[in-house]
Amino acid sequence: MVTTATDIAKQAGVSQATVSRVLSGKGAQARIAKTTQAKIQALAKELHYRPSFAGQALVRGKTRSIGFMCGDICNPHFNELADLAMREVEKRGFHLVLAVIKWDATQNNLEAFDSLLARGVDGVIYFGADIRKGTAQHTQITGGKFPFVSIEQAFNGLPSIVSDNQIGLDEAVAHFKENGHRRLAYFGFAEPDKELPLARAAKRHGLSLSRHHVTIPLGAWAQIPQRVRAAAHQFADLPERPTAVFVSSDHLAHVFASGLWDKGLRIPEDVSVIGYDGTAAGGFMVPPLSSVDFDNERVIRLAVDTVCAQIEGRAGAAKKMVVPTRLLVRKSVVPVP
Amino acid sequence: MVTTATDIAKQAGVSQATVSRVLSGKGAQARIAKTTQAKIQALAKELHYRPSFAGQALVRGKTRSIGFMCGDICNPHFNELADLAMREVEKRGFHLVLAVIKWDATQNNLEAFDSLLARGVDGVIYFGADIRKGTAQHTQITGGKFPFVSIEQAFNGLPSIVSDNQIGLDEAVAHFKENGHRRLAYFGFAEPDKELPLARAAKRHGLSLSRHHVTIPLGAWAQIPQRVRAAAHQFADLPERPTAVFVSSDHLAHVFASGLWDKGLRIPEDVSVIGYDGTAAGGFMVPPLSSVDFDNERVIRLAVDTVCAQIEGRAGAAKKMVVPTRLLVRKSVVPVP
DNA sequence: TTGAAAGCGCTAACAG
DNA sequence: CTGTTAGCGCTTTCAA
C-alpha cells in the first residue's frame, strides 16, 4: 500500500541503502551516479514515496517535533502564541505538537506534559496557564536533561523567559494618570507577577489601588466565564467605583467588558481599561483595548531558539532571559469626566 | 539515558519480550507469573520507563495520531473547533496534530496536508479556511484509501460533514424581520454556501438584500484585518445603509464591529448584526453577538468518529452527513428605530 | 509461564 | 559509485 524505500530499490534494481542515500539528500555527497539518482527520484515521485516517520524517528532517536504546552487555546493570548510558535518551529524543520494544560484535572499535575513525552517530542516549550501552580514533580522529571524552556514561570535551574512587567505597568499607570485618573483597580486572578509591579507603579504615581480578585475553585475551570462576569457585575455595583482598571489579561478584559455592559456601563466612557498581553484580538474590541504588550514574537523566537539549541546539542545559552513589556495605546482609556 | 524495555529485561533477568507483554497490558492474557509482573512493573516505575513512540509506531504501522487541518487558529471558530477536536480525539486514545492552512503560500496547494502526512498521522480531518479553493491534487493523493473526512467542503466521494445553512439563515432573517428590519445586507467573503440560502430566505421574507464582499488578493492574507475594516468603513458611509447585516463569520463580525465603531456607529443602536459560527467568543462581544450556530460539538464528534472508524478498519459510515444550524439569539439585534 | 527470533522502515558505518 | 550489514525499540508469532 504505502511505498517504502525497499519497494523503490527493487524496482530500480539497486540496494535499499542507495535509495536512502539519494532520497535523504546525501546523493551528491556520496557521489551516486547521476543516472541512478534520476531513476530513483523518478520512481519515488511516481510511487508517491514518503519516508516513514516512525522509521526515521526510530533510527535517529529524534522525532523532530517540539511540544508546546499552554493554557486554554481559546484564549487569544495562547492561540496567537501557538500560531507564532508553529511558524517559528516549522521554519527550523520541526513540527509543533500542542498540548493544552488541563486545569480541570482532579490532580494538580500536568498530564499534558506526559502526553507530550508519550508523543515523543524532542523538547518542550512550557507556558503556564493563567493560574500558575508548582509542578515540582515535572521539574524533577525533566531533571535538566530534557530540552525544556519555560515562559513566564521560572523553574529552578531550567532556562526560562520572563517578562519585565514593571516597565509596561509603569507606563500603564502613567497613562491613566495623564488622563486624570486617581482611583485605580486591579481586576483578575491573583497574580503577584503583575500585582506587585502594579502596586509599585501606583505608589510611585500616587494613585490609590484596590484589588478585585476572581477566584476559581479547583476543578471549576469550566465556569470561569460566569465567575468573571459575576465579578465584573460586583465591580460595577461598587459605591466608590474606580475609574481606571488594569485587567490581568486581554482575555479577561473581554469578559470584564461584557460584564460591565450588562450593567449599563461602557468602556471608556464610564471606566477606562488597560489589559495585558497586547493581543491582536484586543484590537478588535469595541473600543480597541489598550494593553501591556508582551512582545510575543521575541518571546517565541527566544523560546524556540533555546529548545532547538538544546535538542541539537549546542547547549549553553542564558538561563534566564528577561523581555521588557511596554504599553500599547489604543482607545480604552480616556480622560476622567 | 532513556530507559528501554531491554534495560528492564536485563535488570529483571527476563527476556525483553516478557517485559513488552507485561508493560503493554497483555500480562494477564499471556498468563505471566504475578511475581514477574510485579517485578517488571516496579522496575518500569523506578526507571521511568516510557515506551518509545517511534518503536511502537514502527511496529504497529500506526502513530495513533490524527491531523486536524484548519484555517487561522486565531479565528475563534477554528480554535474552539481545534480545542474540541483535541478533547474528542484524546478520549479515543489518539493525539491531535494541528496544521494550519497557509493561504499566503505562493502556490495554491495545501502544504499543511503534506506536513501532516510527513508527521505520520493515521488520518486527517480537513476543515477549509474561510476562502475555499479546489484541491484536486490532494483529493487524488488521498485517493479514497487514506482515512479522511472533510468538514463543510464536500470532496467527491470522500466522507464529509456539511451544515445545512438554510435553517439557521431562515431563522436569522425571520429574526431581523420580527424586529422591523427591511433592508438586509450580506457582509463577508464570497461564500455561496451562505449567500444563496440567505438570498432565498430574504426573498421568502420579503426583505431586500445587498451584498458587500471583502476581496483578498492571493498572497495578501496578512492584510485581511485592514481590508475588512476598510470594507466596514465603506459600508458605514453608504447613503441608504441597510439596518440589518448578516456577517459571514463571527471572526469577521469582530472586525466589522470595530470598523463601524471607527465611524461612530454602534451595534445594535445603529445597525443590527447576526454573525455565523456561534462562537463562545461572540458571546463576549459588546454587545453579545447573535449568530447562526454551527453545532461544533456534533460536527467534531461526527468527524472524529468517521476518521477513527476508517483508521480502525470499521469502515462503512455515511458518505455525507448534514448537520442543521440554528439561530443563537443574543443581543446584537434590536427593533429598527 | 517464558524465551528466541523475526521484522517494521530507515540510517550509517564498513566494505568493496 | 554502490552493496552489505547492523541495529534503533517494539510487538508478535512460534517454540519450549
Side-chain angles (χ1 to χ4, degrees):
Chain A
M1 223 223 92
V2 176
T3 312
T4 72
T6 311
D7 297 337
I8 297 184
K10 283 205 188 96
Q11 297 213 27
V14 299
S15 79
Q16 182 267 332
T18 300
V19 173
S20 172
R21 281 190 275 250
V22 172
L23 262 22
S24 56
K26 303 218 169 56
Q29 180 202 320
R31 286 178 298 186
I32 306 279
K34 283 263 184 286
T35 52
T36 316
Q37 297 212 31
K39 193 172 13 169
I40 291 174
Q41 297 283 13
L43 241 11
K45 186 154 299 171
E46 188 188 328
L47 303 177
H48 296 116
Y49 172 73
R50 213 176 264 290
S52 147
F53 175 72
Q56 288 187 319
L58 184 57
V59 71
R60 290 191 183 136
K62 299 235 174 300
T63 57
R64 289 205 72 76
S65 55
I66 291 175
F68 184 73
M69 281 174 74
C70 67
D72 183 7
I73 201 191
C74 299
N75 178 330
H77 189 212
F78 293 128
N79 62 47
E80 292 178 13
L81 240 17
D83 189 47
L84 276 175
M86 213 149 142
R87 295 178 202 284
E88 203 58 36
V89 144
E90 279 170 6
K91 226 182 268 174
R92 292 168 171 77
F94 285 84
H95 294 268
L96 189 77
V97 180
L98 248 184
V100 168
I101 298 169
K102 296 184 193 62
W103 290 99
D104 49 343
T106 49
Q107 301 253 6
N108 171 32
N109 63 1
L110 303 182
E111 325 176 351
F113 191 88
D114 292 326
S115 154
L116 284 178
L117 289 188
R119 193 72 193 59
V121 297
D122 298 336
V124 164
I125 297 173
Y126 172 84
F127 191 168
D130 290 329
I131 299 175
R132 321 246 170 78
K133 289 285 181 178
T135 57
Q137 65 275 54
H138 286 285
T139 311
Q140 290 167 358
I141 289 181
T142 62
K145 296 291 291 175
F146 186 76
F148 183 90
V149 61
S150 169
I151 299 179
E152 277 308 72
Q153 192 177 172
F155 288 82
N156 58 341
L158 298 180
S160 60
I161 298 163
V162 301
S163 57
D164 180 347
N165 292 336
Q166 193 64 67
I167 308 173
L169 255 12
D170 266 328
E171 289 182 10
V173 173
H175 187 53
F176 278 138
K177 190 180 181 187
E178 281 160 18
N179 280 277
H181 295 273
R182 305 285 307 157
R183 294 199 311 285
L184 170 62
Y186 170 91
F187 182 93
F189 300 119
E191 292 186 59
D193 291 352
K194 292 169 188 167
E195 294 184 61
L196 264 34
L198 182 66
R200 268 194 294 268
K203 187 163 186 185
R204 198 172 301 166
H205 291 275
L207 302 204
S208 76
L209 173 66
S210 60
R211 298 173 190 210
H212 306 269
H213 283 161
V214 182
T215 54
I216 311 289
L218 251 179
W221 201 246
Q223 18 164 314
I224 288 187
Q226 296 96 295
R227 287 184 172 255
V228 175
R229 191 181 286 274
H233 291 170
Q234 260 186 278
F235 178 85
D237 289 338
L238 248 33
E240 280 280 284
R241 189 180 351 103
T243 60
V245 182
F246 169 76
V247 181
S248 64
S249 79
D250 283 9
H251 190 46
L252 278 195
H254 269 91
V255 188
F256 180 67
S258 190
L260 292 188
W261 185 88
D262 295 338
K263 289 287 189 174
L265 297 185
R266 299 290 174 266
I267 298 172
E269 294 83 348
D270 301 300
V271 20
S272 285
V273 171
I274 292 180
Y276 184 97
D277 285 340
T279 60
F284 299 118
M285 275 179 70
V286 169
L289 181 71
S290 297
S291 184
V292 173
D293 190 12
F294 186 70
D295 203 349
N296 288 356
E297 283 81 4
R298 183 143 157 216
V299 168
I300 288 297
R301 209 169 334 106
L302 275 174
V304 174
D305 278 346
T306 307
V307 254
C308 285
Q310 292 177 68
I311 291 171
E312 289 159 2
R314 325 175 258 102
K319 274 300 180 206
K320 181 170 176 179
M321 289 152 281
V322 177
V323 171
T325 57
R326 59 177 202 287
L327 180 64
L328 190 58
V329 177
R330 291 199 280 229
K331 308 277 186 181
S332 56
V333 175
V334 295
V336 65
Chain B
M1 221 224 93
V2 177
T3 311
T4 73
T6 310
D7 297 335
I8 296 184
K10 284 205 187 96
Q11 298 213 25
V14 299
S15 78
Q16 182 267 333
T18 301
V19 173
S20 172
R21 281 190 274 249
V22 172
L23 262 21
S24 56
K26 303 218 169 57
Q29 181 202 320
R31 285 179 298 184
I32 305 280
K34 282 265 183 286
T35 52
T36 316
Q37 297 212 31
K39 195 175 9 171
I40 291 175
Q41 297 283 13
L43 241 12
K45 186 153 300 170
E46 187 188 327
L47 302 177
H48 297 116
Y49 173 74
R50 213 176 263 290
S52 146
F53 176 72
Q56 287 187 318
L58 184 56
V59 70
R60 289 188 184 141
K62 298 235 176 302
T63 57
R64 291 204 71 76
S65 55
I66 292 176
F68 184 73
M69 280 175 72
C70 68
D72 183 8
I73 201 191
C74 299
N75 178 330
H77 190 213
F78 293 128
N79 61 48
E80 292 178 14
L81 240 17
D83 188 46
L84 275 174
M86 213 148 142
R87 295 177 202 284
E88 203 58 36
V89 145
E90 280 170 6
K91 227 182 268 174
R92 292 167 171 76
F94 284 84
H95 295 266
L96 189 77
V97 180
L98 248 185
V100 168
I101 298 169
K102 297 184 195 60
W103 291 100
D104 48 343
T106 48
Q107 300 253 6
N108 173 31
N109 62 2
L110 303 181
E111 325 176 352
F113 191 89
D114 292 325
S115 155
L116 283 178
L117 289 188
R119 190 72 189 62
V121 298
D122 298 336
V124 164
I125 298 172
Y126 172 85
F127 191 167
D130 290 328
I131 299 175
R132 322 247 168 77
K133 290 284 181 178
T135 56
Q137 65 275 53
H138 288 284
T139 311
Q140 290 168 358
I141 289 182
T142 62
K145 296 290 292 176
F146 186 77
F148 182 90
V149 61
S150 170
I151 299 179
E152 277 308 72
Q153 193 176 173
F155 288 81
N156 58 341
L158 297 180
S160 59
I161 298 163
V162 302
S163 57
D164 180 348
N165 291 337
Q166 193 64 66
I167 308 174
L169 255 11
D170 265 328
E171 290 183 10
V173 173
H175 186 53
F176 279 138
K177 191 180 181 187
E178 283 160 17
N179 281 275
H181 294 274
R182 305 285 307 156
R183 295 200 310 284
L184 171 61
Y186 171 91
F187 182 93
F189 300 119
E191 292 186 61
D193 291 351
K194 293 168 188 167
E195 295 183 61
L196 263 33
L198 181 68
R200 270 194 293 267
K203 188 164 187 186
R204 198 172 302 164
H205 291 275
L207 302 204
S208 76
L209 174 65
S210 60
R211 297 175 191 208
H212 306 268
H213 282 163
V214 181
T215 55
I216 310 289
L218 252 179
W221 201 247
Q223 20 164 314
I224 288 187
Q226 297 95 294
R227 286 183 173 255
V228 175
R229 190 181 287 273
H233 291 172
Q234 258 186 281
F235 178 86
D237 289 338
L238 247 34
E240 281 280 283
R241 187 176 356 100
T243 60
V245 182
F246 169 76
V247 181
S248 65
S249 78
D250 283 8
H251 190 46
L252 278 195
H254 270 90
V255 187
F256 180 67
S258 189
L260 292 187
W261 186 88
D262 295 337
K263 288 286 188 174
L265 297 184
R266 299 290 172 266
I267 298 173
E269 294 84 349
D270 300 302
V271 19
S272 284
V273 171
I274 293 180
Y276 184 98
D277 285 340
T279 59
F284 300 118
M285 274 179 69
V286 169
L289 181 71
S290 296
S291 184
V292 174
D293 190 12
F294 187 71
D295 202 349
N296 288 356
E297 283 82 3
R298 184 145 157 215
V299 168
I300 289 297
R301 209 171 334 105
L302 276 174
V304 173
D305 278 346
T306 307
V307 253
C308 285
Q310 293 177 67
I311 291 172
E312 288 159 2
R314 328 176 257 102
K319 274 302 180 207
K320 181 170 177 178
M321 288 152 282
V322 177
V323 171
T325 57
R326 60 175 201 288
L327 181 64
L328 189 59
V329 176
R330 291 200 280 229
K331 309 277 187 182
S332 56
V333 175
V334 295
V336 66

